[in-house]
């Protein structure tokens, strides 16, 4: 291993430019002759558009053009797509309503795109947008997830009762049988609150068209620029794939919300050609609240069956998932295949059956948000396991331990085959770090001060490293989920790695370089990571689902292996030995059993000068590419323990201790991994205590700014105690499982389990705001009054 | 933001005269309320008169039993003022609880008071500390100044120049922050003066900042948390939103009042 190799807590290379203000984000790109786009958005949640009069706007100062959905239709620009086909129980395909980039005849949520003004300045575009006259026939709106199918309001004609699909997974008959013979059944009703992603950098796009070459360029805030190019060309049809370059430069956080292909970037590319000028749009925070795809929003009833020995024998779940007004790019997969396959948790549950009804409402589209389906599943499993243990009078840690899966591989009744893990090891370590044995003492001490102390567990599992292409294809995905890499060795021995992964906060420029450093025995300073440009990287699937380590780096490892193999051939020529005698070790190619060797950089130079190559059997150059398709998902898992103290007078919940013990397999950079854990927990705590997107009955977003939408701040969080256990992942060459989403997945049930433990009853929903906790604490104090 | 004319007077007199001539004008202090509303196009004054260059509006001065603060003094300046800390530590602490460092280094006492946001902190301090709001035209008792949410006794074009607080023998401010905005969900300022106690509540009332006579009476007799036992404010005049309904706010007024008295007493 080199000092900058795998396992070293190397400082992030990219931070120099980020913390000194040298990062270049989409909004930093200003193209010659650039005009500005401003989108007129619907103020109504649901309305028919009788007419749009753009006339008064077009004569305003600085206005270049005003476009509506009719203009897109006239140019045969297609609607936005959902790339994952879900079939209902009866075999029928999901009901996908039209999703035009600019409204055609109807608006379906507050923030829906009605028209776009292109002007010399943004202020002029805004002024002109105010002059557009839209005649709306305002319709009643449906907002509530649980009521969506019963409403008289119809969001899309294709779905009279607002159902997108009635999907199911698992073994129904066996599950019914398990419940029939159960000794005890625990029931729970849960709401997984709707969240607004809120990356620091809002979305942005610059579209550009070159009349000389007929080439289009889109600068965009994307987690997966190649997928954006594919969708924009093959499905929406704004430009041919080979003529469209998509650049996703520095991107300031995504959390899923920048995976999707949105209306604004589509319009910017299209409009750039129409107005013969580069067109820029940058979302402001208000637009981000209204129009970034939201996350979560499930209403669930779940039941867990246990036998006379306290073993879990069955789980049945019914979930209604709000998908919003339109199906966003991967929305249909989130509450189905990214959700139900995780319902077995870390437990050996022989029978599981899950039904999910996806519904339309007049709200912003809902799609993947950090964890995507897995936090929702973990919330169901871990709340239910905790409640079951309490009802059975068992210690929640020991109840979990008793039901853990211990033999691997383990096939669950819901698709997944877990490859490896040691759940008890994580539990033991977490109990120790959390000083669980002295918890009762701390609880009594709190009680003496009039405070309520509680402790909550979350024994989570997730499926990452998304995903084997054949598997996801059979489940309805429109794409394969492999990754690509190209390793280019320069004559000086420095290395450029072109990757299809995309870094928007993850630190790939460091961790990917560590892999190269480790394998080739060179310093990370000799390595550049190139990503986020379809003209440089041939193709890639992007970053989400904690896949960049397990899949993206595996592709790089594969390409490095090819580089080393080629290097051996070069060395054989140069060192005049047979190829079979060449060894590569500690950054040197040497002849076995001799002291003859050459450094990696020297061989690189030889590969390019090719003076010693005889004949045609060896090509000059040192550059190799690889595509890597994983053979399985990866299964990071761990135990988080949250300890809270509640002030019953005010309802304030203070997190006193947080223990996180995670098994992420092999770790490339422990410092970066800890950072991911911290950030994930912060987001999970945000969901549990602070964040919630609420619409009123008419479909207005009440929490449409930071004044009302509460993001977690440092002061809301304790100092985290992070521990690791390691079982290397057997299904990829690096043993990596992934760590990007774990905290956000683990945290919410840990918090709520701690609060319910402190209160002594289960009646609290997320976000557990001071008001909600105060009310619940009142109920705890007066059990009679609660009846 | 809509386009506007920008003016930068260097004296109160010049500012007042500009205000008299300019149509549809607004004074600009720290801009932390005004500029966001302009950016969102909720406000669009044609003329903006920046008070930032007027030296007369600055300074902190103690004389006798009052401390007088210039209208353009920033929250951070009040929070860190040795004079304020010594005379009315509760006032310095209150200023330290406003927003975040950015806000405290831009927002001003004059702007806060002129704006009279129902969740702002200064209005409670003004009532509890029996303040006098000094303008370029007159002196207004705090009790007469705050007239309901975002409404004050200020006339069109009238400029707050200073605010003068009575120095109490004991005082404290207890703030329950709105989790999202960090403004006061409920803030209670209590002060013990020679002529009796004052209790002022911000954040909670549907009509803005208010005093609680029952609590004042009880505390005037016995300035101790127990004196407040059994005293509750009515839910009827409480604000209600997604963060806190009227019942919760009314409850918090009681809790915060007791905590404030306790803190004031602990200070001695
Ligand atoms: C993120 C954030 C958090 C905040 N948190 C809090 C909080 O916790 N507690 C709190 O109390 N406040 C809070 N504030 C408000 C802030 O502290 C300021 O007090 C407030 O914005 C008003 O002061 P300003 O100097 O910014 O006034 P401006 O925004 O410049 O002006 C506000 C209004 O007052 C008028 N005005 C200003 N000065 C004068 C004057 N001298 N005479 C007459 N009229 C005048 C202006 O014309 C305008 O109408 C917060 C603000 C922000 C942006």
């Amino acid at each position: 291993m080199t000092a900058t190799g795998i396992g070293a807590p190397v400082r992030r290379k990219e931070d120099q430019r980020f913390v000194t203000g040298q990062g270049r984000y989409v909004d930093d790109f200003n193209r010659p002759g650039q005009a500005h786009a401003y989108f007129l958005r619907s103020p109504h949640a649901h309305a028919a558009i009788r007419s749009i009069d753009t006339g008064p706007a077009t004569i305003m100062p600085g206005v270049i053009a005003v476009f509506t959905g009719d203009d897109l239709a006239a140019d045969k620009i297609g609607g936005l797509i959902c790339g994952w086909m879900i079939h209902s129980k009866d075999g029928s395909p999901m009901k996908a309503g039209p999703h035009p980039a600019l409204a055609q005849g109807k608006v379906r949520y507050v923030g829906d795109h009605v028209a776009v003004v292109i002007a010399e300045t943004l202020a002029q575009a805004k002024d002109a947008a105010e002059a557009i006259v839209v005649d709306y026939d305002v319709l009643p709106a449906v907002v509530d997830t649980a009521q969506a199918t019963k409403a008289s309001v119809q969001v899309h004609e294709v779905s009279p009762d607002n159902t997108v699909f009635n999907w199911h997974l698992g073994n129904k008959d066996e599950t019914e049988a398990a419940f029939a013979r159960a000794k005890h059944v625990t029931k729970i009703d849960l709401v997984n609150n709707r969240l607004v992603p809120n990356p620091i950098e809002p979305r942005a796009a610059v579209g550009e068209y070159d009349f000389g070459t007929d080439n289009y360029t889109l600068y965009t805030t994307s987690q997966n620029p190649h997928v954006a190019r594919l969708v924009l060309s093959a499905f929406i049809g704004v430009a041919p794939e080979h003529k469209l370059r998509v650049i996703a430069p520095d991107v300031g956080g995504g959390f899923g919300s920048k995976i999707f292909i949105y209306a604004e970037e589509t319009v910017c590319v299209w409009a750039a050609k129409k107005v013969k000028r580069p067109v820029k749009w940058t979302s402001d925070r208000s637009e981000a609240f209204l129009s970034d795809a939201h996350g979560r929003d499930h209403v669930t009833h779940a039941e867990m069956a246990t036998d006379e020995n306290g073993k879990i024998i069955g789980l049945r779940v019914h979930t209604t998932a709000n998908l919003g007004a339109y199906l966003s790019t991967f929305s249909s997969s989130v509450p189905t295949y990214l959700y139900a396959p995780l319902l077995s948790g870390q437990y050996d549950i022989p029978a599981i059956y899950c039904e999910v009804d996806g519904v339309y409402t007049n709200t912003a589209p809902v799609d993947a948000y950090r964890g995507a389906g897995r936090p929702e599943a973990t919330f169901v499993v871990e709340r239910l396991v905790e409640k079951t243990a309490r009802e059975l009078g068992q210690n929640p840690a020991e109840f979990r331990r008793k039901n853990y899966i211990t033999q691997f591989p383990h096939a669950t009744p819901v698709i997944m085959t877990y490859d490896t893990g040691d759940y008890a090891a994580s539990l033991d370590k977490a109990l120790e770090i959390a000083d669980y044995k002295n918890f009762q003492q701390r609880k009594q001490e709190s009680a003496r001060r009039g405070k309520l102390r509680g402790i909550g567990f979350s024994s989570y599992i997730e499926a990452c490293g998304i995903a084997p292409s054949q598997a996801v294809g059979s489940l309805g995905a429109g794409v394969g989920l492999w990754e690509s890499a190209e390793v280019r060795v320069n004559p000086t021995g420095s290395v450029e790695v072109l990757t299809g992964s995309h870094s928007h906060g993850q630190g790939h420029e460091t961790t990917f370089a560590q892999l190269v450093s480790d394998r080739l025995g060179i310093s990370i300073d000799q390595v550049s990571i190139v990503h986020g440009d379809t003209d440089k990287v041939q193709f890639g699937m992007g970053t989400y689902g904690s896949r960049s380590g397990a899949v993206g780096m595996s592709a790089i490892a594969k390409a490095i292996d090819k580089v080393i193999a080629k290097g051996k051939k070069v060395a054989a020529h140069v060192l005049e030995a047979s190829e079979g005698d060449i060894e590569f070790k500690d950054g040197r190619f040497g002849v076995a059993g001799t002291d003859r060797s050459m450094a990696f950089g020297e061989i690189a130079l030889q590969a390019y000068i090719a003076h010693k190559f005889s004949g045609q059997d060896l090509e000059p150059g040192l550059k190799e590419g690889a595509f890597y398709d994983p053979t399985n998902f990866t299964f990071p898992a761990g135990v988080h323990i949250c300890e809270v103290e509640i002030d019953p007078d005010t309802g304030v919940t203070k997190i006193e201790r947080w223990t996180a013990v995670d098994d992420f397999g092999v770790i490339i950079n422990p410092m970066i991994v800890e950072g991911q854990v911290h950030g994930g927990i912060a987001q999970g705590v945000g969901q549990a205590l602070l964040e919630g997107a609420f619409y009123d009955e008419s479909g207005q977003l009440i929490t449409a700014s930071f004044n009302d939408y509460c993001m977690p701040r440092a002061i809301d969080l304790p100092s985290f105690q992070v521990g690791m256990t390691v079982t290397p992942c057997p299904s990829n060459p690096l043993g990596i499982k992934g760590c990007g989403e774990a905290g956000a997945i683990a945290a919410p049930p840990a918090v709520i389990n701690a609060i319910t433990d402190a209160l002594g009853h289960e009646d609290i929903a997320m976000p557990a705001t001071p008001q909600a906790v105060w009310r619940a604490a009142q109920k705890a104090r007066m059990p009679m009054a609660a009846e | 933001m809509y386009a506007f004319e920008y003016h930068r007077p260097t004296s109160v007199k010049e500012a007042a005269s500009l205000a008299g001539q300019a149509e549809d004008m607004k004074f600009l202090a720290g801009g932390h309320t005004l500029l966001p509303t302009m950016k969102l196009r909720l406000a669009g004054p044609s003329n903006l008169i920046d008070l930032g260059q007027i030296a007369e509006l600055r300074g902190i001065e103690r004389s006798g039993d009052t401390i007088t603060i210039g209208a353009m003094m920033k929250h951070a300046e009040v929070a860190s003022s040795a004079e304020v800390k010594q005379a009315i530590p509760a006032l310095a602490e209150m200023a330290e609880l406003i927003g975040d460092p950015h806000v405290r280094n831009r927002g001003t006492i004059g702007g806060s008071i002129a704006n009279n946001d129902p969740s702002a902190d200064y209005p409670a301090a003004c009532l509890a500390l029996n303040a006098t709001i000094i303008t370029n035209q007159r002196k207004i008792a705090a009790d007469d100044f705050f007239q309901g949410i975002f409404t004050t006794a200020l006339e069109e074009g009238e400029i707050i120049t200073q605010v003068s607080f009575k120095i109490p023998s004991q005082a404290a401010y207890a703030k329950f922050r709105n989790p999202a905005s960090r403004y006061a969900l409920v803030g209670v300022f209590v002060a013990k003066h020679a002529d009796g106690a004052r209790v002022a509540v911000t954040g909670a009332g549907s009509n803005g900042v208010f005093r609680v006579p029952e609590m004042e009476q009880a505390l005037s007799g016995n300035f101790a948390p127990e004196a407040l036992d059994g005293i509750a404010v009515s839910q009827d005049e409480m604000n209600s939103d997604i963060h806190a309904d009227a019942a919760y706010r009314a409850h918090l007024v009681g809790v915060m009042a007791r905590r404030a008295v306790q803190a004031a007493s602990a200070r001695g």
Side-chain angles (χ1 to χ4, degrees), chain A residues 123 126-127 130 286 647 649-652 690 694 702-703 706-710 713 715-716 770-771 774-775, chain B residues 1-2 39-41 176-183 241-248 251-252 255-256 259:
Chain A
K126 284 188 180 180
D127 287 344
E130 288 181 9
S286 304
D647 176 353
D649 287 339
T650 58
V652 170
L690 309 165
F694 296 103
I702 308 171
T703 49
F706 290 133
N707 237 3
D708 288 306
Y709 188 92
C710 185
R713 294 154 159 97
I715 199 174
D716 299 314
Q771 163 165 257
W774 172 71
R775 200 143 275 137
Chain B
M1 213 177 259
Y2 297 102
K39 281 188 184 168
L40 291 169
R41 298 192 157 207
F176 191 90
R177 287 188 168 105
N178 175 315
S181 74
R182 257 62 168 175
Y183 273 86
D241 57 30
I242 57 162
H243 305 287
D245 63 14
Y248 180 52
H251 166 78
L252 283 179
V255 175
M256 290 297 123
R259 290 186 182 178

Side-chain angles (χ1 to χ4, degrees), chain B residues 97-240:
Chain B
L97 288 173
I98 296 175
D100 53 47
H102 294 87
V103 174
R104 292 195 290 276
N105 283 288
R106 288 300 305 170
T108 66
I109 182 170
S112 178
I113 290 169
N115 194 48
N116 193 17
D117 187 304
S119 307
D121 298 298
Y122 265 120
C126 290
L127 285 189
L129 298 172
N130 198 6
T132 303
I133 317 305
I134 303 163
T135 76
N136 60 335
Q137 298 170 14
R138 58 195 165 133
K139 294 182 173 182
I140 311 167
D143 286 335
D144 302 323
F145 183 84
F146 301 105
Q147 302 184 343
I149 56 171
F150 299 109
T151 313
T152 67
L154 287 176
E155 301 285 347
E156 186 65 29
E158 190 171 2
I159 302 168
I160 299 177
T161 55
Q162 289 171 316
V163 186
S164 171
F165 298 93
K166 280 251 156 49
I167 299 170
S169 58
Q170 288 179 323
Y173 180 60
K175 176 176 181 176
F176 191 90
R177 287 188 168 105
N178 175 315
S181 74
R182 257 62 168 175
Y183 273 86
L185 197 68
V186 171
V188 182
F189 207 116
V190 299
K192 187 177 169 190
H193 297 276
D195 56 354
R198 279 184 168 235
V199 178
V201 178
T202 190
S206 53
N207 202 31
V209 65
F210 65 94
R211 289 171 61 188
V212 190
E214 257 190 302
M215 288 184 176
E216 292 185 350
Q217 215 163 14
L219 292 172
S220 295
N222 173 21
F223 196 78
E226 314 83 76
L228 298 176
D229 286 353
I231 302 177
V233 296
S234 161
Q235 295 181 27
D236 299 345
E237 275 132 43
M238 293 294 121
N239 209 351
S240 184

Side-chain angles (χ1 to χ4, degrees), chain A residues 683-697:
Chain A
Q683 272 173 301
V685 168
Q687 167 159 35
L689 293 181
L690 309 165
E691 298 182 48
F694 296 103
Y695 287 89
D696 70 12
E697 276 177 16

Side-chain angles (χ1 to χ4, degrees), chain A residues 450-452 645-653 755-756 758-764 769-783 785-786, chain B residues 248 251:
Chain A
K451 302 283 164 58
L452 308 171
E645 189 181 78
I646 292 170
D647 176 353
D649 287 339
T650 58
V652 170
T653 300
I755 292 176
T756 51
L759 293 173
H761 68 79
E762 300 280 335
D763 196 7
I764 187 91
T769 60
Q771 163 165 257
V773 173
W774 172 71
R775 200 143 275 137
Q778 300 282 99
K779 193 170 147 184
R781 277 174 174 173
M782 295 174 287
Chain B
Y248 180 52
H251 166 78

